[in-house]
Amino acid sequence: MDWQPLLLTFKLALITTLLLLLISIPIAYWLAYTKSKIKPILETLVSMPLVLPPTVLGFYLLVAFSPSNTFGGWLNDYLGIRLIFSFKGLVFASILYSLPFMVHPIQAGFSKVSSSIIEASYVLGKSKTTTLFKILLPNIKPSVLTGIILAFAHTIGEFGVVLMIGGNMPGKTKVASIAIYDEVEALNYDVANWYSLVLFGITFSILLIVYLVNGGYLKRFWR
């Protein structure tokens, strides 16, 4: 079994999750506390990957970032950025496709924080930024952990989006889900089974950690 697709998959999942964490916190904060009339529109856009077929998203990304397209050509000619059939493209597509899995848990965590705690922070002269990092985030650690794990696990399982935007280039864009598909097509069921078992074991383990941590089981175990 070639371990390169698995290593590439976890590299993609790690980078995507870290970038998503940076992007999702301000988005989730704004969605949790804003009273803007455009909030439903932004919530809809964030949630679209939950119901949109991944091939649809992958197709439009492929069209938008193609060098033959105006926008894709501008990125390629003036910025030297080529997103289709590249690892950078996989990261960008994965961020869009896994965005709701990071934003929704963090947004829910923000919404559950008592308004009196936030008001007390403001009364003490703390800025919104200080309140966010010193008060809010420490109070929603389980929600942040859930978002991190779900985004990581979801990125590991991507297929349609990464196939459309990245293709099937060994060592560059061929992630584990695509490797499984290739092995099944070639009737190499033993190899496909090993890839699947590794992904199943890892995703099961990280989801189990979320439930153990959020359910307080680990704290009770160590007492």
Side-chain angles (χ1 to χ4, degrees):
M1 185 178 70
D2 183 9
W3 289 92
Q4 197 170 49
L6 288 169
L7 296 176
L8 188 65
T9 298
F10 296 124
K11 177 183 176 181
L12 174 64
L14 180 61
I15 294 174
T16 299
T17 302
L18 291 175
L19 293 176
L20 270 176
L21 183 63
L22 297 176
I23 296 169
S24 298
I25 288 176
I27 294 176
Y29 178 85
W30 187 85
L31 290 175
Y33 298 114
T34 187
K35 295 181 181 179
S36 173
K37 293 181 180 180
I38 67 170
K39 175 183 176 180
I41 298 176
L42 185 56
E43 285 186 314
T44 300
L45 291 174
V46 170
S47 301
M48 281 293 288
L50 294 174
V51 295
L52 192 68
T55 49
V56 174
L57 178 60
F59 170 73
Y60 282 117
L61 290 176
L62 182 63
V63 171
F65 297 127
S66 172
S68 60
N69 186 288
T70 302
F71 181 66
W74 179 79
L75 287 176
N76 186 65
D77 297 338
Y78 293 95
L79 300 181
I81 299 175
R82 184 182 178 90
L83 293 180
I84 62 170
F85 307 125
S86 68
F87 185 77
K88 293 178 182 178
L90 292 187
V91 172
F92 186 85
S94 298
I95 288 174
L96 291 181
Y97 193 50
S98 296
L99 185 63
F101 293 89
M102 181 73 80
V103 170
H104 286 172
I106 298 177
Q107 180 185 352
F110 281 140
S111 300
K112 292 178 181 179
V113 176
S114 174
S115 59
S116 60
I117 297 177
I118 302 174
E119 292 170 0
S121 177
Y122 293 157
V123 169
L124 293 173
K126 304 299 181 182
S127 66
K128 289 186 177 181
T129 302
T130 301
T131 301
L132 171 63
F133 288 101
K134 298 292 186 179
I135 305 298
L136 292 175
L137 289 178
N139 277 280
I140 63 165
K141 287 180 181 179
S143 299
V144 174
L145 176 62
T146 299
I148 291 172
I149 298 300
L150 289 180
F152 187 87
H154 187 253
T155 303
I156 288 177
E158 290 176 358
F159 176 74
V161 171
V162 295
L163 180 61
M164 293 290 287
I165 194 70
N168 187 357
M169 303 171 66
K172 192 173 182 182
T173 63
K174 185 178 181 179
V175 293
S177 58
I178 296 176
I180 293 172
Y181 179 78
D182 284 348
E183 298 301 338
V184 170
E185 276 201 322
L187 302 181
N188 296 325
Y189 295 131
D190 289 341
V191 179
N193 179 52
W194 277 110
Y195 279 128
S196 301
L197 283 176
V198 172
L199 292 184
F200 178 85
I202 292 175
T203 51
F204 177 85
S205 299
I206 59 181
L207 287 175
L208 179 62
I209 291 173
V210 171
Y211 288 114
L212 290 175
V213 172
N214 288 348
Y217 297 105
L218 292 181
K219 290 182 179 179
R220 291 198 290 269
F221 176 80
W222 286 110
R223 285 180 180 176

